Each structure stands twice: as structure tokens, then as C-alpha cells.
Amino acid sequence: MEDNYQNRTAFIKGAKDIAKEVKRQATKKVGRSVDRMSDEYSKRSYSRFEEDDDDDYPMQGSQDGGYYREDSQAANDDEGGHSDSTEGHDEDDEIYEGEYQGIPRADSGKGSLAGGPGSVRAGAQQFRDVGVTEAERRKDQEELAQQYETILQECGHGKFQWTLYFVLGLALMADGVEIFVVGFVLPSAEKDMCLSEPNKSMLGLIVYFGMMVGAFLWGALADRIGRRQALLISLSINSIFSFFSSFVQGYSTFLFCRLLSGVGIGGSIPIVFSFYSEFLAQEKRGEHLSWLCMFWMIGGIYASAMAWAIIPHYGWSFQMGSAYQFHSWRVFVLVCAFPSVAAIAALNAMPESPRFYLENGKHDEGWMILKLIHDTNMRAKGYPERVFSVTTIKTVKQVDELVDVGTDTPVWQRYRLKIMSISQQIRNNILACFRPEYKRTTLMLMAVWFSMSFSYYGLTVWFPDMIKYIQKQEYEASTKTFTKERVEHVTFNFTLENQVHREGHYFNDKFLNLKMKSMVFEDSVFEECYFEDITSTHTFFKNCTFIATLFYNTDLFKYRLINSKLINSTFIHNKEGCMLDFSDDFNNAYMIYFVSFLGTLAVLPGNIVSALLMDKIGRLRMLAGSSIISCVSCFFLMFGNSESGMIALLCLFGGISIASWNALDVITVELYPSDKRTTAFGFLNAFCKLAAVLGISIFQSFVGITKAVPILFAAGALAAGSFLATKLPETRGQVLQ
């Protein structure tokens, strides 16, 4: 009995030794045959769903070698059931057929079956050099791109994509709102915070600096941590600091909050377009990415409407002493954070991009999301019985090296290593955009983005400044001038506006509870006069003499008295801080909001045309054609000599140029592979914001001096951009890399 037991044990041990030797020999040969195996495996990686074979869907072993759980179980039965689940692990802890390995996966993942192509390749790859590994990654990415396109065709376009459209649209809407916020609140904030001209300019540009940093940062992170997670973090930062900026009182803290708010929202555009493109099939991508651009327009309309409804209502405010004031413009800033908050809430209900998961070797997660898309669309179309036929999907070979830091490593050290790893991968992604295969494309896109942004943002800021300049000229043309007047024993208790008084003499006069707007007194004498409760705007006393004059509760500070003499005159209880000017003409404020509203609404026809024609005429024709027409339209600006004329030209330019932006967004998404898409888009968008800052600064400097230089700059930049755009590769009809 004991001899039989020993013989059986020796027999089993010898069989295992023979199996190990056979496996070792097979591993040596896999390097020569792996390409052939990969091609054969990719053919059977998934099966298409046939509408006529709903009831005959193969759930058992298929003849083409498809990898199902039933196949592996049958193989296990044929071998007598010798697996870890029945015999226990051997000394090498090998995995046998019959163990449940989750959803079947492709060969380049973790391996769905022991002894299959996935596990054998994984064992052989560790002996290969980096160049071969990179070549295999590129081949895997190409195979995944083709298969992914076919899977999206099966999933269809329906309820899921439209739901995601509105969710991501809210994030894009928040970006559109952010552009307008500072411009709308600046007239009120400059008085509330005592802003000088340099401070006003910095506040106007700080958002662009923040968005430049945010686009670069979040675009790079989205390729590392995921589109959804990066977008949630960026929108959260935008919401938090937008909220804080509505309550802070000092200029420095307000500037800091708006900077970080811009950093947060900077990730919106590169992530949103990349995210949505990975849910769209080839024939739908150009059109629906263009429809998505409409939410930027909706954001501008929302900001204009809220400013129109809120800011002029100065009664919507409160204050606690003289230190804390909360005026209506702060209510507007708070309301502008709502789209970002809504986007965060809606995005929590949406999944991550399945393409991102598959690019990072997470087969199960990607498969589950694609099945969700298929089932959601089929139920909405009235075909709930249709089954998602894909069983395995190609995943890309991962080259990340994991470092075991040990359980006793301090937490801060682990986070430091993780941050260093992420930073290194981001750096590698950015450098990859300038490798030989992408260098020309990246440099050409940088030039096109720069020319478009320089001209568009420069002109869109120059237009309102020109309208203000025209209004100022018309206002100054109606100024009334009084010379050598003598006024005695008169009480002024009404508004004084847009007047110039020269060489006047005022004796024993009272100026009580009144507002002075654009008043100038030159070479005048005020003798025994009394000023009480005065609120002034653009009011100055030049070379004047005040004799025995009393100033009580006024804002006539010393800087308003230019080269003036004070003889026995006294200031008592001067008004502190910068008071909001309640006497401002509300029509001017309404006009600014109305002009912005019209300019934003004017892009609607361009959005519609670009969406309908993007997949018909191609991205390059749309981009170059719209840029050329925008270039020609710039020369019509020479004829904008009136307020209404400038508004009409603003609407014309915006409506034409929006098609270029839509085409540029689409082509940028499609020219880069998935693992570098948001990094490249974020880098180009950051470069765009830098061009915007340069354009705004240069164009503003010519307001009131000449029209020719801004027009020539804009036309030249657009002409150069349209020429360079024709050198880019056309991406219409191609699968998403």
C-alpha cells in the first residue's frame, strides 16, 4: 500500500516536471512567433452582433477560437479537472485553466487564460528592449483604434451620447462665463476697490494667465489620471475660488481668487473635447463636436443676461460698517459659478472614457462602460433585447515600472514618489508631442492657434474699447463751457454734469447733497463757500483758490485739487474708501451688456453652418475658408465710425470666425493619439491664451490712435493662419487614433 502511494506521488511529481520543461521550451520560441499569434488573436478578439441571430448567440466554445469562460471550463474538463481549485497550488503558484479571471480580455492585457497569447506574451516581453516594446505599443494602439471604432458603431449614437453632451456642455458653458465675468464687473469693482489703471489692466488679464496655466496642467493630468477625474478636480477649483472671490474685499485677495478660478476652468476646453470625442463614432464626430461648441456661446449669453439683470441693481447689496461691503456685482460673480457647480453634479453620474481605460490596460472597466453605452442606446431606441456582442477588446501594452516602497515608508514619501512619477509621465507626454512623427504637426498647430487667438481675442476686446471711445467722443462733443462767471449767494442742490467752468468767481455759495459728473473748474476762486455731502466722478479743480471754505462729508480728496491753493479752508469727515457712483448712466451699463449679448448670439449661425458641413467638406476647408473670410471682413472695420456700425461689424466678425474655432478644435482632437490627446490639446490651448494676452495688450494700445494697425495685425495673422492650416493633414473619415 505504501509502495503504491510512493509510486503515485513520484508519478505526479514527474508529470509536473515534464509540464514545466515543456512550458519553458515554449517560452523560448514565443519571441519568433508572437507577431503571428497577435494577428491571429486580433481576428478573433471580438464578434459582431448580428440582428438576425439574436437567439443563436454563441455562449459555448466557438469554432474560431473565441475566448469564453465556457471554453476554458471545457478544456479543464478534458484534462481531468487538474487545477488549483481542485489540487491546490504548486510550489510556483501557477494559474491553471478553470480559474475565474473576470471578463475575458485581449492578449496584451493581464491575460484572460493561462497558456493563452496574453499570458505567454507577458512572460516574454520582459526580455525585450524598449524600442521593440514601443513598437508593439504603437501596433496595439492601431489595432485598438480600429476595433474601438467598430465597437462604437455597434453601440450606436443615442441617449447616452446626448446625455453626456449636455453634461459636458455645462463645463464648456462655465468656460464661456469665465471669460466675461471680469469684464462685466470691472466698472463697479474699480470703484469698490479703488483700482488704479495698472490694477484694472492686471485684473482684466489675470483670468487669461490662470486659464493658460490650467489648460497646460489639467490637459497633461487628464492623460494620466483620467478625463473625468481631471475635469471634476478642475471644475471644483473653479467653483470654490469663484465663490470666495464674490466675498473677499481686498484687491490682492480678489485677484488671487480670480487667478485660481481661471486655473480651474482652464482645463475645461482640452478635456471636454477630448472626452466627448472618445464616445463618438467616425461619421458623427465632426458634427457633434461642433454642436458642443454652442455651449460656449450659451455661457456668454448667460453671463450677459445675468449682468444685465443684476449689476445695475445697486439696491441688492448690504454692508457691515465701512470695512465690509457686498454690492450687486458680487451677487453677479456668485451667480456665474452656478454652471460649474451644475457640471460637477452632473458629471458625477457619468463614467470615465472607456478609451482611456483600454489605453491604460484596464480591460474590464472599459468593457463595462461600452456595454453600458450599448444597452442605454438600445433601450432608448426600443431594442432592449439586443445583446452587446463584444467579448474581448484590445488593450495596450503597459510600460510603467512599479516601485515597491515598502509598507514602512512614510506617507509623505509615498506621495512624493507618486507625484514625481506623474510629473515624469507628463514631461514625457509633452516631449512626445515634439518627436519626429508629431513635431511638424505640433509646430503647425501652434502657429494656427496663435494666429487665430491673437486676432480673435485682440479684436473682440478692441471692439468694446472702440465703442467706449466713440461714446466718449460723443459725450465730450456735448460739453458745455462757461467763462468768467460770477456767482454769489446761490445754493446748488442738483446734479452738475459735463461742464467746464473757467476763470469763475464763487462767493458765499453752497453746494449741498449733489453729484458732480465730469465737471472741471479751471482758474476759479471759491470764497466763503460750503460743500456738503458731495459725490463726484471725473471731477477736478485745476489752478483754483479756496478761501475760508468748508468741506464736510465729501469725496473731494486732495488728488482732485490740481495745483490749487487752500487758504483757511477745512475738510471735515471726508468720505472713506471708494464709493460706488450711483449717478452713473444706467444706459451705458445696459449698452455694454447688450453689445456682449449680441456679439455672442451672432455666432449661432456660424455654429450651425460649421456643424452641418464639418463632416461634408472636411476640417481643413472649414478652417482655411472661415479664416480667409474673417481676414477679408477685417477691412470693413475701417468703415465703423459710429456705435451702431461697430456693433454690426463685431457681430459679423464673430459669426464668421466661430467656424474656424470649431474646425480647429475638431482637428486638434483627431491629430493626436489617445494617450497624448489632452496633453497636446492643453499645451496648444495654453499657447492660445498666451497669444490672447499679447493680442489684447497690443490692440488696446491703439484705441483712439489709429484703426489701421489693429486691422492690419488681425488680417495678417488670419491670412497666415489660413495658409498654414492648408498644410495640416485632413482627418475627416479617419478613425480616432
Side-chain angles (χ1 to χ4, degrees):
M1 187 70 178
E2 183 176 348
D3 293 338
N4 293 337
Y5 177 77
Q6 291 177 350
N7 292 337
R8 184 174 179 273
T9 302
F11 176 77
I12 293 173
K13 184 177 180 180
K16 288 185 177 181
D17 291 339
I18 293 172
K20 289 177 184 177
E21 182 63 27
V22 171
K23 186 174 181 180
R24 232 185 322 282
Q25 294 298 326
T27 301
K28 292 180 181 178
K29 296 179 181 179
V30 74
R32 296 189 299 270
S33 60
V34 65
D35 293 332
R36 178 177 57 80
M37 293 165 59
S38 176
D39 293 338
E40 292 176 357
Y41 184 71
S42 62
K43 293 178 183 179
R44 62 174 182 259
S45 59
Y46 67 94
S47 58
R48 296 279 293 136
F49 176 79
E50 304 265 333
E51 184 174 346
D52 297 331
D53 298 328
D54 285 343
D55 297 329
D56 298 323
Y57 181 73
M59 293 302 293
Q60 304 297 325
S62 61
Q63 295 180 357
D64 63 351
Y67 288 89
Y68 299 94
R69 298 190 190 92
E70 289 76 12
D71 294 332
S72 59
Q73 186 62 47
N76 182 58
D77 293 339
D78 291 340
E79 296 178 8
H82 295 291
S83 69
D84 287 341
S85 59
T86 57
E87 293 292 333
H89 296 281
D90 63 7
E91 61 271 21
D92 293 327
D93 198 22
E94 295 177 330
I95 298 177
Y96 289 86
E97 299 88 350
E99 282 193 88
Y100 175 67
Q101 298 299 315
I103 298 171
R105 64 192 68 223
D107 53 343
S108 60
K110 299 175 183 178
S112 58
L113 297 169
S119 60
V120 177
R121 268 185 80 182
Q125 294 297 337
Q126 57 185 320
F127 301 106
R128 297 196 171 191
D129 57 71
V130 176
V132 174
T133 303
E134 285 298 323
E136 290 184 352
R137 276 181 56 82
R138 287 195 293 271
K139 184 176 181 180
D140 288 347
Q141 288 173 335
E142 292 173 1
E143 293 180 9
L144 172 60
Q146 296 293 336
Q147 183 183 358
Y148 191 81
E149 177 64 33
T150 308
I151 294 173
L152 287 179
Q153 297 283 350
E154 178 177 335
C155 292
H157 188 93
K159 180 180 178 181
F160 185 92
Q161 281 87 352
W162 282 112
T163 303
L164 185 64
Y165 169 80
F166 287 104
V167 172
L168 296 179
L170 289 172
L172 201 59
M173 178 180 171
D175 182 271
V177 170
E178 190 74 17
I179 292 291
F180 290 92
V181 170
V182 172
F184 287 158
V185 304
L186 196 56
S188 299
E190 66 175 313
K191 299 169 185 175
D192 206 6
M193 298 181 179
C194 306
L195 300 183
S196 61
E197 287 299 323
N199 287 344
K200 287 166 55 180
S201 300
M202 178 55 68
L203 187 57
L205 295 176
I206 197 66
V207 173
Y208 291 97
F209 283 115
M211 295 175 79
M212 179 175 64
V213 174
F216 183 82
L217 174 64
W218 303 116
L221 278 177
D223 277 331
R224 179 63 182 87
I225 66 175
R227 284 82 164 104
R228 177 178 174 272
Q229 186 174 354
L231 186 57
L232 281 172
I233 297 173
S234 66
L235 290 175
S236 299
I237 292 175
N238 172 253
S239 302
I240 290 170
F241 286 98
S242 293
F243 176 81
F244 285 156
S245 67
S246 66
F247 291 96
V248 297
Q249 294 294 298
Y251 166 74
S252 299
T253 51
F254 183 77
L255 191 71
F256 178 73
C257 287
R258 294 315 305 181
L259 172 65
L260 292 184
S261 175
V263 170
I265 202 62
S268 177
I269 288 180
I271 298 177
V272 162
F273 283 102
S274 301
F275 195 3
Y276 194 48
S277 68
E278 292 170 357
F279 289 87
L280 298 173
Q282 168 190 315
E283 70 275 6
K284 298 286 186 180
R285 194 182 309 125
E287 176 185 350
H288 286 269
L289 286 176
S290 299
W291 288 125
L292 187 64
C293 294
M294 293 189 66
F295 277 93
W296 197 94
M297 174 199 73
I298 295 172
I301 293 175
Y302 174 83
S304 302
M306 291 299 101
W308 196 345
I310 295 173
I311 295 180
H313 295 278
Y314 294 115
W316 296 6
S317 62
F318 67 89
Q319 64 183 57
M320 293 182 289
S322 60
Y324 189 88
Q325 298 177 348
F326 192 90
H327 295 293
S328 56
W329 66 268
R330 296 181 181 275
V331 178
F332 167 72
V333 173
L334 192 62
V335 169
C336 285
F338 288 171
S340 186
V341 174
I344 293 171
L347 193 59
N348 274 293
M350 304 305 296
E352 177 60 85
S353 165
R355 183 66 177 269
F356 172 78
Y357 279 141
L358 296 172
E359 290 282 347
N360 286 273
K362 298 181 179 180
H363 176 276
D364 292 3
E365 293 87 342
W367 187 91
M368 290 296 292
I369 295 171
L370 288 170
K371 183 178 185 301
L372 173 66
I373 297 171
H374 175 275
D375 294 347
T376 301
N377 290 340
M378 292 302 107
R379 284 195 298 268
K381 293 177 180 179
Y383 304 107
E385 73 282 357
R386 292 191 177 180
V387 180
F388 185 52
S389 64
V390 178
T391 57
T392 54
I393 309 173
K394 188 77 175 178
T395 54
V396 179
K397 173 69 178 179
Q398 301 303 297
V399 295
D400 295 342
E401 294 183 0
L402 301 178
V403 179
D404 186 8
V405 296
T407 57
D408 56 344
T409 305
V411 175
W412 68 269
Q413 183 78 356
R414 296 181 188 178
Y415 279 106
R416 186 179 71 84
L417 291 173
K418 186 174 183 180
I419 292 173
M420 289 177 60
S421 174
I422 293 175
S423 301
Q424 182 63 30
Q425 290 181 351
I426 290 174
R427 177 179 176 274
N428 292 340
N429 261 8
I430 295 170
L431 293 178
C433 296
F434 292 92
R435 287 177 184 169
E437 61 266 36
Y438 300 113
K439 184 176 181 180
R440 182 179 180 275
T441 297
T442 301
L443 293 177
M444 298 290 286
L445 280 174
M446 286 175 64
V448 175
W449 274 92
F450 185 91
S451 62
M452 287 286 299
S453 181
F454 179 82
S455 57
Y456 178 81
Y457 285 102
L459 283 179
T460 52
V461 173
W462 182 73
F463 273 119
D465 287 346
M466 280 299 299
I467 292 174
K468 292 178 184 178
Y469 178 73
I470 293 172
Q471 289 176 338
K472 182 180 178 181
Q473 284 186 319
E474 294 175 352
Y475 187 76
E476 291 177 350
S478 62
T479 301
K480 296 179 180 179
T481 303
F482 301 88
T483 306
K484 295 182 179 180
E485 60 181 354
R486 185 176 180 87
V487 181
E488 299 179 354
H489 310 293
V490 175
T491 299
F492 296 88
N493 55 6
F494 49 86
T495 298
L496 299 175
E497 181 179 0
N498 199 21
Q499 299 175 8
V500 176
H501 296 263
R502 296 191 177 99
E503 301 178 8
H505 190 94
Y506 303 88
F507 178 75
N508 198 22
D509 295 324
K510 294 182 179 180
F511 298 82
L512 304 176
N513 193 27
L514 60 83
K515 298 172 178 59
M516 294 182 176
K517 295 176 59 180
S518 301
M519 294 291 297
V520 178
F521 295 87
E522 297 179 354
D523 303 313
S524 300
V525 177
F526 295 83
E527 186 176 354
E528 297 182 10
C529 292
Y530 179 68
F531 292 81
E532 180 181 351
D533 196 14
I534 306 298
T535 301
S536 61
T537 302
H538 304 298
T539 297
F540 300 96
F541 297 84
K542 301 178 180 179
N543 301 317
C544 295
T545 302
F546 297 88
I547 303 172
T549 298
L550 176 64
F551 297 86
Y552 180 82
N553 193 30
T554 71
D555 63 357
L556 300 177
F557 305 114
K558 294 293 180 67
Y559 74 88
R560 297 188 184 276
L561 309 180
I562 303 173
N563 297 327
S564 298
K565 297 180 181 179
L566 295 172
I567 303 174
N568 296 329
S569 298
T570 307
F571 289 84
I572 302 176
H573 296 299
N574 286 340
K575 293 183 177 180
E576 296 181 358
C578 297
M579 307 300 293
L580 281 174
D581 187 3
F582 298 103
S583 63
D584 276 347
D585 186 2
F586 288 165
N587 291 329
N588 289 337
Y590 283 126
M591 178 57 68
I592 294 173
Y593 310 142
F594 183 64
V595 169
S596 299
F597 178 83
L598 287 180
T600 308
L601 189 62
V603 306
L604 178 61
N607 266 322
I608 295 175
V609 170
S610 65
L612 296 178
L613 298 181
M614 189 69 71
D615 287 320
K616 292 182 173 60
I617 67 175
R619 287 78 162 119
L620 295 188
R621 291 181 181 177
M622 179 68 69
L623 175 57
S626 177
S627 297
I628 292 174
I629 298 174
S630 300
C631 174
V632 174
S633 69
C634 287
F635 292 99
F636 289 99
L637 301 177
M638 296 297 297
F639 305 101
N641 297 319
S642 64
E643 186 177 323
S644 58
M646 292 301 294
I647 294 173
L649 291 171
L650 170 64
C651 295
L652 175 65
F653 179 77
I656 295 173
S657 61
I658 192 64
S660 300
W661 283 109
N662 293 357
L664 190 57
D665 290 333
V666 174
I667 201 170
T668 302
V669 163
E670 295 177 334
L671 280 176
Y672 290 95
S674 294
D675 61 335
K676 301 174 183 65
R677 181 171 296 122
T678 57
T679 299
F681 205 137
F683 171 76
L684 292 169
N685 198 253
F687 194 66
C688 159
K689 295 302 185 291
L690 177 62
V693 171
L694 292 176
I696 291 170
S697 302
I698 293 173
F699 281 50
Q700 280 183 328
S701 64
F702 290 99
V703 172
I705 299 177
T706 177
K707 290 182 180 179
V709 175
I711 291 173
L712 289 176
F713 276 169
L718 288 170
S722 62
F723 172 75
L724 293 174
T726 60
K727 305 300 181 181
L728 290 168
E730 176 61 76
T731 57
R732 180 181 58 157
Q734 297 181 7
V735 298
L736 196 64
Q737 295 185 53

